[in-house]
Amino acid sequence: MTEPTSELKTYYGNCHCGAYKFSVKLPELKSAMTCNCSICLKKGTWWVFPGAGCLIVEKGEDYLKSYEYGPCRLVHKFCPTCGTGVYGKRKEAPEGVDIGLNARTLRDVDLWSLEITKYDGHALEPQYTPHPYDGPEPTAQFENAKVYTGTCHCGAVGMAMKTAGPLATSGQHIEECECSICAREGVILTYPSPPQIHITNASFLTSYSFGRKFRSWEFCPVCGVCIWARKHDLTAEEYASYGDADEDQAVWKARMNVNLRVLDGVEWDEIKIARGGNESEPKYVVQ
């Protein structure tokens, strides 16, 4: 007797800038898979797996950039304009089990309602060796300070962050945001002062802005990992019109938005990650 199959539903998705658009047929989406391997952890990918012929690219396949590492069994595809990680493709797998799609790219899906299953990719061999951070220590002064360091996945850009002891007791606010760009980038943000942070080779990063354009998302053009959101120098008039005008501009400018996923050695099981954020005006519209 043939097993019943789930009815498929059509979902639509895109990278943030809209250069890559697709539709995909999946059973009604109720879950996604996370992986703790080095690249999935840094990019925050939530995986779903379409069957053969279920992913239809509307535009942009040839525009995507590829990133491979280690034994190069899996190609990670991301948009070179906005940095959105779109899908991964296993090189030697048959059609139907060869593509993992990033659920974060899907439109009209409540990501936080999904049940998340975990895959222990960290245990797979060969083990990824993190690239060493080779920059200076941040200048902030704290009693019992702790310094976290890390790089993007390919090692081209490094970051160090100094906190008042371990993150769990440091007072650093840490959050995930559900706005269109944070959701697609998969970032986990924290907001240190500039003396707490040093970023090496920052000029190598690709900048992406949209909407109000009062900040740009800075990501590695080689591996696609987002490092931070750089706030632009705004006039008082621009800030009042486009910035978070309910907060003093100097306070806003003095708080950095950095992606905690970049750093190695974060005590993920001990820290609290808040969920918040919303889409600022003007509302995001897919181009």
Side-chain angles (χ1 to χ4, degrees):
M1 183 175 178
T2 303
E3 290 292 327
T5 57
S6 299
E7 183 177 350
L8 298 181
K9 179 180 178 179
T10 299
Y11 293 88
Y12 297 90
N14 56 277
C15 66
H16 193 271
C17 70
Y20 181 84
K21 292 182 178 179
F22 65 91
S23 64
V24 61
K25 292 182 178 180
L26 296 164
E28 184 177 356
L29 200 57
K30 297 180 179 179
S31 65
M33 187 189 81
T34 62
C35 173
N36 63 357
C37 76
S38 57
I39 185 69
C40 291
L41 183 60
K42 286 187 183 288
K43 300 195 78 169
T45 308
W46 286 9
W47 295 106
V48 292
F49 302 95
C54 289
L55 176 63
I56 306 297
V57 177
E58 296 178 13
K59 72 168 189 174
E61 179 62 38
D62 294 338
Y63 185 67
L64 295 179
K65 195 162 187 179
S66 299
Y67 175 66
E68 303 175 47
Y69 70 99
C72 297
R73 300 189 188 106
L74 182 69
V75 181
H76 294 266
K77 293 282 191 174
F78 68 95
C79 175
T81 295
C82 61
T84 302
V86 179
Y87 69 84
K89 184 176 177 65
R90 293 167 60 195
K91 288 185 174 180
E92 299 179 0
E95 185 181 4
V97 293
D98 58 334
I99 290 179
L101 184 67
N102 188 359
R104 293 181 177 276
T105 61
L106 298 174
R107 301 198 293 270
D108 303 319
V109 171
D110 181 359
L111 292 175
W112 290 350
S113 72
L114 299 180
E115 178 183 352
I116 299 301
T117 60
K118 297 181 179 181
Y119 178 74
D120 188 12
H122 177 73
L124 299 178
E125 296 290 346
Q127 290 281 316
Y128 168 81
T129 301
H131 297 274
Y133 170 77
D134 57 4
E137 182 175 304
T139 59
Q141 298 295 313
F142 296 111
E143 186 176 351
N144 301 317
K146 181 165 184 175
V147 178
Y148 295 85
T149 62
T151 69
C152 63
H153 196 269
C154 70
V157 178
M159 184 168 73
M161 181 173 75
K162 184 182 289 186
T163 56
L167 274 167
T169 58
S170 68
Q172 287 288 148
H173 179 68
I174 302 168
E175 72 172 7
E176 290 181 285
C177 173
E178 62 179 346
C179 76
S180 60
I181 185 65
C182 289
R184 281 175 172 78
E185 296 290 350
V187 294
I188 294 177
L189 295 174
T190 191
Y191 305 95
S193 64
Q196 291 180 256
I197 294 289
H198 188 86
I199 299 173
T200 63
N201 203 22
S203 62
F204 182 70
L205 296 170
T206 294
S207 300
Y208 172 65
S209 292
F210 70 101
R212 296 180 294 175
K213 297 187 176 180
F214 67 99
R215 63 165 62 95
S216 59
W217 295 86
E218 307 282 319
F219 65 92
C220 176
V222 175
C223 61
V225 171
C226 181
I227 306 296
W228 68 309
R230 177 174 57 85
K231 295 175 179 176
H232 297 171
D233 293 322
L234 305 178
T235 66
E237 291 76 15
E238 288 172 333
Y239 181 75
S241 298
Y242 302 110
D244 298 326
D246 59 340
E247 181 177 48
D248 183 82
Q249 185 176 1
V251 175
W252 174 81
K253 184 68 175 178
R255 186 180 62 246
M256 298 180 70
N257 299 26
V258 301
N259 184 10
L260 198 62
R261 291 186 181 277
V262 175
L263 301 174
D264 300 318
V266 172
E267 303 91 349
W268 295 107
D269 293 336
E270 300 175 16
I271 63 175
K272 293 182 179 180
I273 302 174
R275 284 183 166 176
N278 50 60
E279 200 69 40
S280 302
E281 296 291 344
K283 298 295 186 182
Y284 169 72
V285 177
V286 181
Q287 300 298 313

